[in-house]
Amino acid sequence: MSAARRRLLAGLTLWPLLARGSGLDDTLADLQSRWHPRLAWRPDPGWRAAALATARRLILQPGDDGGAFATQWLTEEDRVTHTARSLTLRGALGDRVPALYLGPKGEGPHPAVLLLHDHGARFDIGKEKLIRPLAAAPAATHEAAGAWAQRYFGGRFVGDTLVEAGFAVLAVDALGWGERSRTGFAKDDQQALANHLMQLGHSWAGLIASDDVRAHRWLRERPEVDSRRVAVLGFSMGAFRAWQLAAVCGEVSACIAAHWMCTREGLLRAGEHTLQGQSAFSMAHAGLAAELDHPDIAALIAPRPLMLFGSPQDPLFPWDAVQAAWARLGRAWPAGPGFSTHVTAGGHRFDRMQQAAAADWLTALP
């Protein structure tokens, strides 16, 4: 047998091994090793305009068309130092968005804060996770809200902390939570909701972001509110919503994001929470990861004030990836108090001490 024929036969013998398809894990690992966002933060002047346009295009779907809110006031309750009111306002889809509003007594204009609730795999309450329900709310709502405040907020509603510090406060139900959910809606229903919206040409995450933009505009347009001082604050998924909103909406005066800031790499590690269950559907924007990492998006807030909280004991966010995100963000701010990070004990919670620090920080801003 000739040498050429022996080489040919040897090659044919190896062909099944050479032609074997890549396994799923191999493909994902290869993609991740080659992943680099096209618009990663850089200090040159051209970055901001390109990154902001891209973020708005991919996040705000459908966005805010500037339409009227057609506000409907429902119930009012005197709480001695302030007034609590329930209402609905028109959302990005034209549907009615339920909300709770806390208004300080006394002459305005008052600074204000839009509060953005978490995910928590609990859908029967949304805005009530942050603002104490009105007395007329169902007993089940009071029980659920009280238990949530005890579990994550040291028994103190964040809305109470802020309104007692002199801020007007608004919280709305994101689509899928509270009055915008349905009886029995559970974590395993999220894929069906996200797919239903996708098949109708919409994005669940994009609708949540668009409603947040409209809620902030509603708050800015209140006659008793100082439109130049309307901040955002969120915990967990609410923190994600907060820095996302502040990034794409230049009218946000300041942002507090408690316990949700991490690099994408950190959240794509085996076993991390974004790869389990279905919660990621409410925060995933198609095409965005190819352009911007999480800290790249939040860098669009600079030089406006940003305060971040994180905990080494938080099981949802690898601490090294949190620190990496904070370090990258810090480069986007000039030296000074505009960028503030706070390491907390106790894991994934925004307790009374953290709330007090956040309220003091907001109060001290010019």
Side-chain angles (χ1 to χ4, degrees):
M1 182 184 297
S2 68
R5 184 172 177 80
R6 283 196 298 271
R7 288 195 298 269
L8 175 61
L9 290 175
L12 291 174
T13 302
L14 290 172
W15 174 250
L17 297 176
L18 296 173
R20 183 179 298 163
S22 299
L24 176 59
D25 291 340
D26 292 336
T27 298
L28 292 175
D30 179 61
L31 281 174
Q32 188 163 336
S33 69
R34 292 186 285 116
W35 172 72
H36 182 75
R38 187 177 67 87
L39 288 171
W41 179 85
R42 56 181 188 269
D44 67 83
W47 172 82
R48 180 178 180 80
L52 180 58
T54 299
R56 285 175 171 168
R57 174 172 56 84
L58 295 175
I59 292 172
L60 298 178
Q61 298 184 23
D64 178 11
D65 65 0
F69 295 106
T71 304
Q72 295 179 352
W73 296 100
L74 303 176
T75 307
E76 182 173 326
E77 182 176 291
D78 190 313
R79 292 185 173 174
V80 183
T81 62
H82 61 280
T83 300
R85 304 173 77 181
S86 62
L87 64 138
T88 64
L89 54 95
R90 185 169 292 155
L93 290 177
D95 54 340
R96 305 302 308 177
V97 177
L100 291 173
Y101 179 64
L102 305 179
K105 292 185 177 179
E107 187 176 352
H110 305 288
V113 179
L114 174 63
L115 284 180
L116 301 170
H117 68 73
D118 60 74
H119 185 291
R122 178 153 197 171
F123 303 96
D124 57 334
I125 52 174
K127 58 191 180 298
E128 297 87 359
K129 293 178 176 181
L130 294 166
I131 293 182
R132 182 159 39 99
L134 272 62
T141 300
H142 281 276
E143 182 179 355
W148 207 255
Q150 192 64 45
R151 179 177 179 181
Y152 289 109
F153 306 124
R156 169 82 163 166
F157 285 96
V158 181
D160 287 346
T161 296
L162 292 170
V163 73
E164 290 174 15
F167 294 89
V169 182
L170 176 71
V172 303
D173 282 333
L175 183 63
W177 281 267
E179 296 175 70
R180 300 179 78 191
S181 188
R182 64 164 179 252
T183 302
F185 188 86
K187 60 183 181 180
D188 289 340
D189 297 319
Q190 295 174 88
Q191 180 179 352
L193 171 57
N195 184 60
H196 198 151
L197 291 167
M198 187 182 301
Q199 297 299 332
L200 295 173
H202 294 287
S203 155
W204 189 17
L207 286 169
I208 292 172
S210 299
D211 282 338
D212 289 345
V213 169
R214 285 184 61 82
H216 192 269
R217 178 164 69 86
W218 183 93
L219 197 48
R220 296 197 311 271
E221 292 179 1
R222 293 299 305 162
E224 70 275 16
V225 165
D226 181 351
S227 62
R228 301 165 302 170
R229 297 185 63 196
V230 182
V232 294
L233 185 157
F235 164 71
S236 195
M237 183 187 80
F240 169 92
R241 294 166 62 193
W243 55 253
Q244 173 180 259
L245 173 58
V248 298
C249 178
E251 290 79 13
V252 173
S253 63
C255 175
I256 298 174
H259 305 281
W260 207 122
M261 172 49 67
C262 190
T263 62
R264 289 189 191 276
E265 179 278 327
L267 294 180
L268 290 177
R269 299 173 188 173
E272 292 302 330
H273 78 279
T274 55
L275 302 181
Q276 302 180 43
Q278 302 178 13
S279 64
F281 285 109
S282 59
M283 292 172 272
H285 300 282
L288 185 61
E291 308 290 344
L292 298 155
D293 197 355
H294 299 132
D296 301 324
I297 299 167
L300 289 166
I301 301 170
R304 288 168 292 147
L306 172 62
M307 179 185 231
L308 299 172
F309 290 86
S311 175
Q313 291 81 43
D314 191 334
L316 299 180
F317 299 95
W319 185 237
D320 66 308
V322 172
Q323 291 177 301
W326 287 9
R328 287 166 55 183
L329 272 169
R331 296 179 300 173
W333 266 261
F339 179 68
S340 176
T341 58
H342 295 257
V343 180
T344 65
H348 200 68
R349 48 190 287 114
F350 188 54
D351 59 24
R352 291 170 179 254
M353 186 176 298
Q354 294 174 60
Q355 292 178 42
D360 290 344
W361 183 78
L362 283 174
T363 300
L365 294 176

